[in-house]
Amino acid sequence: MEEYLRNYLERTPRSAELYRRAGAVMPGGVSHNPRYFPPHPVYIRKAEGARIWDVDGNEYIDLWMGHYAHILGHRPEPIRKALREGIEEGTHWGVAQEIQVALAEEICDLFPAAEMMRFGVTGTEAAMYAVRLARGATGRRTIIKVKGGWHGAGPDLSLAVHAPMDRPESAGLLPEIMAYVKTIPFNDAENAVRIIRENADDLAAVIIEAVGQYFIPPQAGFLEAVQEATKRAGAVFILDEVITGFRLALRGAQGRYDLKPDLLTLGKVLGGGMPLAVVAGRRDIMGLADPTRGLPKGSGVLIGGGTFSEMPLALRTARAMLSCLKENEQEIYPALEAKGKKVREGLAGAFQSAGIAVKISGVGSLLNTAFVDSEADCRNVEDIDLLSDLEARDRLFHLALLSRGVYTKYGGGAVSLAHTDADLEKIIEAVRGAAGEMAQGNFLSGRGKG
């Protein structure tokens, strides 16, 4: 570890200075906690395709890809063209515009579950409004989420994201709000259905990501069982597609797993690198936000959207993104599947050759590395957190790959269309070298050794 730290400090003096300055004006030196890692974050100067360059001139193959948003790579030409054209008309208007109608029609056409929709800016905002709509539609209070599920930092869902799962994620959250948030385990259909049934009388909604945190695939029948139990309880089934929407398939997890949510959220890939999110769903539920219905105060659902909702530039990039994905669907998604599979298999082989036990998980173009026995039954976040060496993943492996020109987060990330076969080979070779050093240095705790 000391050698990796020394190497990193020698290669990133400008980033170190920027972090020193940042610490004086931002808590922890960052504005979003995942962007911090010790001893200091990398400060990026530019990005292109599958690569990023830091302020010290170091080049990295990027697997973080803007929080998994850049499915075409950094700065793809269709997005740049949309921005060049859009900026000539204006950056922000704050009024209704033609392009929002066209984009909303496209989204509703792609997703059968999206009968109506509203635009927002962030996934956090979309999830917040989905919960509010569900409570408004049912007149009930309780929300069920998956342990380890992340739906942004809104107060209604800031529970059971990180261990210990039974404590709020933050100070400042009212206990009476948390009292109406329950949790179910991912990939445990029997217990998930039982908990849904036990809370059925006051259950407003179940919100779930189709692919679990650490990109754990859903076991056969799990999502269907949760969906059916939710609807039998008369509650709203909310599918969070902020990560999976347009990444797993053109129609997201709904298309891949044949799901029929009552409400859904979208973000990340949709915006083409600009801030854009969507809450969509059944007409009767979304109609609660209709200001023309004349509903008595307190009967309708307030969806504010924010000052920068329907930002023209974001709508333009979204239309450019959807156009590219729709026109090239038969080429893009098989290519992403193949790239993701190649990297996952390459990483597994690299660690196996070094005698280091890992479990590589992922779906489509998403991947994750956990330092745990590859034969372990890791159904969900709790299993991995209990069995794996998180220090090795989040510090040692991260720094080892940085020293070899690969930027990753949480032991994995997402490949894009811009990642070439040569890039993938370089990633695998970097992991092979890092794994060899980690094995020789005996850096891992007992949980990560083969």
Side-chain angles (χ1 to χ4, degrees):
M1 175 67 81
E2 292 302 319
E3 182 178 345
Y4 287 145
L5 283 172
R6 183 165 54 252
N7 176 276
Y8 181 68
L9 290 169
E10 289 174 355
R11 295 172 69 245
T12 58
R14 177 63 176 153
S15 282
E17 171 59 17
L18 286 171
Y19 182 65
R20 183 194 66 77
R21 290 166 53 190
V25 290
M26 290 179 279
V30 293
S31 286
H32 190 25
N33 288 352
R35 294 172 192 168
Y36 169 76
F37 59 85
H40 57 257
V42 171
Y43 283 77
I44 299 304
R45 179 174 58 86
K46 68 175 183 176
E48 181 76 32
R51 282 172 164 72
I52 53 178
W53 288 263
D54 69 20
V55 292
D56 291 288
N58 299 302
E59 177 182 323
Y60 307 90
I61 299 175
D62 187 15
L63 281 174
W64 182 226
M65 298 307 291
H67 295 242
Y68 325 122
H70 298 303
I71 198 170
L72 302 180
H74 292 284
R75 301 179 67 239
E77 180 53 31
I79 301 302
R80 294 163 66 180
K81 181 175 184 290
L83 288 172
R84 287 194 300 267
E85 294 175 351
I87 205 165
E88 294 300 320
E89 296 181 356
T91 58
H92 176 58
W93 301 331
V95 295
Q97 53 201 280
E98 183 177 356
I99 193 171
Q100 76 187 77
V101 181
L103 179 57
E105 289 171 340
E106 287 188 70
I107 292 170
C108 290
D109 285 344
L110 279 173
F111 294 90
E115 296 175 354
M116 301 190 84
M117 54 151 293
R118 279 282 182 95
F119 291 112
V121 178
T122 71
T124 293
E125 178 187 3
M128 177 183 75
Y129 286 131
V131 166
R132 185 179 295 177
L133 284 162
R135 283 177 167 149
T138 62
R140 301 172 181 178
R141 298 167 292 183
T142 299
I143 304 295
I144 288 179
K145 68 178 294 287
V146 169
K147 291 182 180 179
W150 170 247
H151 308 285
D156 292 305
L157 300 170
S158 292
L159 180 72
V161 178
H162 306 98
M165 296 289 184
D166 59 347
R167 294 172 55 187
E169 295 294 316
S170 171
L173 298 173
L174 298 177
E176 50 266 40
I177 293 178
M178 292 296 100
Y180 294 108
V181 183
K182 311 295 182 183
T183 61
I184 56 175
F186 192 75
N187 275 338
D188 184 346
E190 181 179 351
N191 280 313
V193 170
R194 175 183 57 79
I195 293 167
I196 291 169
R197 288 173 176 169
E198 289 174 353
N199 290 276
D201 288 348
D202 191 46
L203 183 60
V206 174
I207 184 168
I208 189 171
E209 297 166 288
V211 175
Q213 289 294 312
Y214 303 152
F215 302 140
I216 299 170
Q219 293 180 351
F222 171 70
L223 295 172
E224 296 87 344
V226 171
Q227 176 178 258
E228 181 181 358
T230 302
K231 295 192 175 188
R232 283 188 176 182
V236 176
F237 181 61
I238 305 172
L239 188 62
D240 184 334
E241 291 243 46
V242 171
I243 291 178
T244 58
F246 306 106
R247 180 167 279 280
L248 294 191
L250 180 61
R251 291 164 180 82
Q254 293 158 75
R256 191 177 184 115
Y257 300 115
D258 193 25
L259 299 172
K260 298 176 179 61
D262 299 303
L263 291 174
L264 62 116
T265 60
L266 298 166
K268 295 192 187 293
V269 169
L270 173 63
M274 294 291 284
L276 186 68
V278 163
V279 58
R282 282 172 23 198
R283 185 175 299 273
D284 60 317
I285 298 177
M286 294 300 302
L288 292 172
D290 184 348
T292 71
R293 289 180 59 184
L295 295 173
K297 185 176 181 179
S299 297
V301 172
L302 173 63
I303 296 183
T307 298
F308 291 98
S309 64
E310 303 163 3
M311 182 180 180
L313 289 180
L315 298 178
R316 278 187 172 272
T317 57
R319 290 207 74 194
M321 174 62 70
L322 289 193
S323 177
C324 181
L325 296 179
K326 288 192 295 184
E327 290 174 8
N328 302 282
E329 178 184 7
Q330 299 306 315
E331 293 77 35
I332 288 175
Y333 291 101
L336 289 172
E337 290 280 335
K339 292 173 190 287
K341 181 180 180 182
K342 179 174 182 175
V343 175
R344 288 192 295 271
E345 290 180 349
L347 266 58
F351 281 110
Q352 184 177 24
S353 297
I356 294 178
V358 299
K359 196 172 189 72
I360 307 295
S361 58
V363 178
S365 55
L366 302 168
L367 63 133
N368 181 265
T369 301
F371 288 88
V372 61
D373 191 326
S374 60
E375 301 303 316
D377 184 17
C378 294
R379 299 175 300 171
N380 49 47
V381 169
E382 290 179 288
D383 289 343
I384 287 182
D385 285 351
L386 177 66
L387 297 171
S388 69
D389 190 334
L390 298 180
E391 173 74 6
R393 184 199 72 182
D394 292 339
R395 293 202 63 191
L396 181 61
F397 186 48
H398 182 58
L399 288 173
L401 288 187
L402 282 175
S403 71
R404 289 172 167 80
V406 176
Y407 190 93
T408 182
K409 286 289 288 183
Y410 310 123
V415 294
S416 73
L417 210 64
H419 286 84
T420 65
D421 285 342
D423 292 332
L424 304 184
E425 291 294 344
K426 288 180 181 179
I427 293 169
I428 294 167
E429 185 59 34
V431 172
R432 187 176 292 114
E437 287 185 355
M438 292 166 74
Q440 292 174 9
N442 195 30
F443 293 132
L444 299 177
S445 71
R447 289 179 293 180
K449 296 179 181 178

